[in-house]
Amino acid sequence: MINIGIIGGSGYTAGELIRLLVHHSKVKIDFVYSTTNAGKLISSVHQDILGDSNLVFTDTINANVNLVFLCLGHGKSKAFLSENKFNKSTKIIDLGNDFRLLNDTKFQEKTFIYGLPELNKSEIKSANCIANPGCFATAIQLALLPLAAANELQNCIHINATTGSTGAGVQPTATTHNSWRNNNMSHYKAFEHQHLAEIHRSLSEVQKDFDQEVLLIPNRGDFTRGIFATLYTKTALSFESLVKIFVEFYKNQPFVVVTTSEINLKQVVQTNKCIISIEKKGDYVLLTSIIDNLLKGASGQAIQNMNLMFGFDETEGIVLKSSGF
């Protein structure tokens, strides 16, 4: 049994972590840190855990926990770790973007490993600190990594990806509140989304000569959770060869499902799955990749990383099934 702490406890990712971890057989939640909600029952903010936990938010930390999850806003993890010291043996999983890129992996005496299990599983198992991937980056990389490993990303990659409103965080903004989002759709950060840097990093590590353009159009969807991404690029590979490459690449990865059928977002919502569909259209391979942005794109993947770091079964506490409705 390990003791864990959660920093930044009032947001969506922290809520998902708590919802899963209160039922994890190997974990005890020691504290959930939130300066804005200190003293309140956690279930008063994350109402889906009502009856599952009597924990209250706190504005103090226990520096001796076995693991701490950082669920702070992007760019705030470094500042928090500079101001708050944990035991040297305390492991860290950061769900923000502070440590994902190569220039940011070293901080103080810590080295952060990029926490995409399907890419870095062996490194994660021995890591003390993890940079959890971004949600778009997760869905897109999982669709492209098998081709990179086969040295088959030799042409421009076009991506159209739509995310639910929870991807923008718990604080409402002009483009996230329900009255604007309902019956509406728009794109944002076309060709310059921050997750592109993560994607380029991983693809270049796997396919050493990778220098192709990755053109991403992110969209705001009229739903709360999930990412639906379609990707296409030219390839000379046959459909049969493509399927074989993907099946072989993911044969030992419990949360990735490869199919040749059409897929839909409800198949992965409330799960830690990534489902990848493969089609061949003339000279192009069309890949569809779907995940729950709060689970496989954030908290579920963070727990997957925790399980690997502590030698637990990789799927412990996160084998969830979508209702399909």
Side-chain angles (χ1 to χ4, degrees):
M1 185 72 70
I2 63 170
N3 291 322
I4 66 101
I6 297 173
I7 306 297
S10 59
Y12 289 133
T13 55
E16 292 296 288
L17 277 172
I18 297 164
R19 179 172 68 89
L20 295 173
L21 290 174
V22 294
H23 299 294
H24 196 294
S25 66
K26 310 287 187 182
V27 167
K28 178 184 176 183
I29 300 176
D30 186 275
F31 70 88
V32 180
Y33 178 93
S34 172
T35 55
T36 57
N37 292 295
K40 294 181 182 178
L41 278 169
I42 291 173
S43 60
S44 69
V45 174
H46 303 298
Q47 297 181 14
D48 56 330
I49 68 163
L50 183 66
D52 293 328
S53 173
N54 292 318
L55 283 168
V56 298
F57 291 107
T58 181
D59 57 4
T60 61
I61 66 170
N62 175 5
N64 296 311
V65 291
N66 302 109
L67 171 72
V68 62
F69 292 96
L70 301 178
C71 300
L72 300 164
H74 295 315
K76 297 182 179 180
S77 296
K78 287 182 180 178
F80 186 87
L81 291 176
S82 296
E83 297 167 5
N84 298 271
K85 303 302 180 183
F86 290 91
N87 191 298
K88 286 187 177 181
S89 63
T90 298
K91 297 179 185 291
I92 299 170
I93 297 178
D94 179 36
L95 281 81
N97 66 0
D98 291 36
F99 307 108
R100 292 173 184 166
L101 302 183
L102 281 174
N103 292 338
D104 298 318
T105 57
K106 306 286 187 182
F107 180 73
Q108 297 174 342
E109 298 179 356
K110 302 174 176 65
T111 299
F112 283 78
I113 299 299
Y114 189 64
L116 189 66
E118 295 78 11
L119 176 63
N120 291 327
K121 188 170 294 187
S122 61
E123 292 89 345
I124 292 167
K125 287 181 178 180
S126 59
N128 288 316
C129 299
I130 294 292
N132 217 56
C135 51
F136 273 130
T138 296
I140 291 166
Q141 287 175 99
L142 291 177
L144 294 175
L145 284 173
L147 293 177
N151 203 46
E152 288 293 337
L153 291 177
Q154 300 296 339
N155 295 281
C156 181
I157 302 161
H158 301 261
I159 308 167
N160 190 287
T162 303
T163 185
S165 58
T166 53
V170 71
Q171 293 297 327
T173 68
T175 58
T176 62
H177 63 79
N178 183 67
S179 61
W180 190 91
R181 202 100 174 197
N182 187 46
N183 294 322
N184 201 4
M185 188 170 177
S186 63
H187 76 257
Y188 67 106
K189 296 182 180 178
F191 308 130
E192 57 185 20
H193 194 277
Q194 64 272 16
H195 290 179
L196 281 168
E198 293 176 58
I199 295 164
H200 277 282
R201 172 193 169 177
S202 296
L203 296 181
S204 297
E205 288 177 356
V206 175
Q207 182 176 311
K208 301 304 181 184
D209 66 347
F210 179 75
D211 64 353
Q212 302 303 318
E213 282 190 297
V214 180
L215 302 177
L216 169 62
I217 307 295
N219 302 299
R220 305 177 181 95
D222 179 19
F223 50 90
T224 57
R225 56 195 298 163
I227 289 176
F228 189 96
T230 52
L231 310 87
Y232 66 92
T233 188
K234 282 188 174 182
T235 179
L237 291 174
S238 68
F239 175 70
E240 292 75 18
S241 296
L242 288 163
V243 173
K244 183 178 179 180
I245 286 171
F246 275 76
V247 170
E248 180 66 20
F249 191 88
Y250 288 120
K251 66 181 180 181
N252 296 318
Q253 305 298 341
F255 292 112
V256 180
V257 179
V258 177
T259 183
T260 58
S261 301
E262 291 185 0
I263 56 179
N264 64 85
L265 199 54
K266 286 186 177 181
Q267 291 172 272
V268 295
V269 170
Q270 298 284 358
T271 82
N272 200 53
K273 290 180 184 177
C274 174
I275 302 180
I276 302 168
S277 174
I278 306 169
E279 300 176 61
K280 185 75 190 294
K281 304 289 186 181
D283 293 334
Y284 291 92
V285 56
L286 172 62
L287 303 168
T288 305
S289 179
I290 55 174
I291 64 169
D292 185 313
N293 61 295
L294 294 180
L295 290 173
K296 186 57 176 167
S299 302
Q301 185 156 238
I303 295 174
Q304 187 179 355
N305 282 322
M306 177 195 73
N307 287 338
L308 292 168
M309 294 168 82
F310 285 93
F312 305 148
D313 186 289
E314 187 174 354
T315 65
E316 177 71 35
I318 40 175
V319 180
L320 306 172
K321 293 183 178 180
S322 172
S323 67
F325 295 100

